[in-house]
Amino acid sequence: REEALINMAVKIIVENPASSFAKRREYCAETEPSPCIQAGGIAGDNCSHYRLEDDDSIHTHARTMKPPYRVPSMVEISAVRGTNGRTVVSTFSGCGGSCLGFEMAGFKVLWANEFIPAARDTYAANHPGVILDPRDIRAIQPEDIFAAIGARDVDVMEGSPPCASFSRAGKREKLWGKAKKYSDTVQRTDDLFWEFARLVKGIQPKVFVAENVKGLVVGKAKGFFIEIMKLLKGCGYRVRCQVLDAQWLGVPQSRQRTIFVGVREDLAAEPAFPKPLAYRYSVRDAIPWITSVSCLLPGKKPGVSSAGKPCPTVTTGDTGGNGRHAVEAEVQVEDSGKSSLLLEKRRFTIAELKRICAFPDDFILTGSYRQQWERLGRSVPPLMMRAVAEVVRDQILAKVKSCQ
């Protein structure tokens, strides 16, 4: 098929309820040629008895002009870092996914905090110019940050308080108020949004952005959500919250996240969020040799999706209770001078996972395979946060500047 037809339909259906030999015939537009086109119909039937369908896989009409999937390299990000004149301090920074998103939008990250040693190692390897505070956030005071950056005016404070306590993949309310295993530590995590709010109140950035799992606004966790909204508004901010899905913001992964945006009350601007794109990227857009992805969860049958769709949500571990992704990939094999393609079933490589999570190919990940997977599984996809950061830059901070 030509590209325009590829983007229009996945199936050609010929259906005639009155037919005596075949009431419904399907032709796969991905793998089969079109049925015979005749003067008065198609495939021996009247032209009123056929239609084009899709199967909810990724397709884009030619007029949408979906650009090729691409994540800027670390060199390219370094070239635009700090070009918009705005500053960021980052909390619960992980390996730096959110910070990369802000840097892609031209922000300069001055200071970051990460308590987990393995995550801190990866952050430092990719952000050598950022002040990295290793302490538990409970021990950090606003004055410590002001002293470190040599200024008291901060444009944006961002953070992703650990979400394991609210994730629907975990035990949720059974462990609220208790210390639990989190990455390579044991700590209580359901109180960390309060620590984020404490620093927001003390630092008073123009804008704050906070990220958490969708589970925060579902079921019994809604009580926490209501308290968090009251807490953040009480810091002197107009606050709005939306659940955004990374697959509609340029990421080849279905990943829903709760995003809080707050704008300081004295500023002439309102919280705003990115609009979804008119297209999505598939696994195969990012990794052309992958043909299918399966997600294995304990006690459930494997869910298999076509590589023509976004990847299911990448969790924090490649094995165990957090689920496991497996892929089917094409491998070129040489035998007796002949070349052929075979399919192999395996896990994602870390290089492949970086693309699914919208990280640069040259982003450095430290530690074991398990630790590298965890870093990516806990991160906000940089392209997702870039979309948020661009809105903060253009629709919030630009208005603030024009009014001052």
Side-chain angles (χ1 to χ4, degrees), residues 115 179 214 280 318 404:
F115 179 63
K214 182 185 177 183
R280 297 178 294 168
D318 63 306
Q404 288 180 335

Side-chain angles (χ1 to χ4, degrees), residues 40-54:
I42 183 170
D45 216 324
N46 188 288
C47 61
S48 64
H49 291 151
Y50 91 94
R51 65 182 183 275
L52 304 179
E53 284 189 358
D54 65 57

Side-chain angles (χ1 to χ4, degrees), residues 176-197:
W176 289 347
K178 300 177 182 178
K180 58 171 287 185
K181 188 178 187 307
Y182 178 80
S183 191
D184 300 325
T185 68
V186 175
Q187 60 172 307
R188 183 180 172 186
T189 60
D190 59 352
D191 64 335
L192 293 176
F193 236 118
W194 276 254
E195 296 299 324
F196 177 81

Side-chain angles (χ1 to χ4, degrees), residues 76-207:
E76 291 171 315
I77 295 170
S78 179
V80 300
R81 181 184 296 131
T83 55
N84 72 15
R86 298 293 188 172
T87 60
V88 176
V89 297
S90 173
T91 59
F92 308 102
S93 305
C95 70
S98 291
C99 288
L100 278 183
F102 273 95
E103 289 175 339
M104 289 177 185
F107 289 81
K108 183 177 182 179
V109 180
L110 300 177
W111 179 95
N113 166 244
E114 179 49 52
F115 179 63
I116 304 298
R120 198 163 60 240
D121 290 344
T122 294
Y123 190 100
N126 294 281
H127 294 88
V130 177
I131 300 167
L132 184 56
D133 193 318
R135 292 178 292 168
D136 186 324
I137 198 166
R138 298 174 180 90
I140 296 172
Q141 300 300 320
E143 289 298 329
D144 299 337
I145 299 173
F146 292 146
I149 66 176
R152 302 186 72 85
D153 184 37
V154 174
D155 291 308
V156 180
M157 177 174 159
E158 73 85 19
S160 299
C163 57
S165 297
F166 308 118
S167 173
R168 288 177 293 173
K171 296 181 179 180
R172 286 168 62 87
E173 62 266 23
K174 291 182 180 179
L175 292 175
W176 289 347
K178 300 177 182 178
K180 58 171 287 185
K181 188 178 187 307
Y182 178 80
S183 191
D184 300 325
T185 68
V186 175
Q187 60 172 307
R188 183 180 172 186
T189 60
D190 59 352
D191 64 335
L192 293 176
F193 236 118
W194 276 254
E195 296 299 324
F196 177 81
R198 175 179 64 83
L199 291 179
V200 167
K201 188 172 184 178
I203 294 170
Q204 289 290 292
K206 295 181 179 71
V207 179

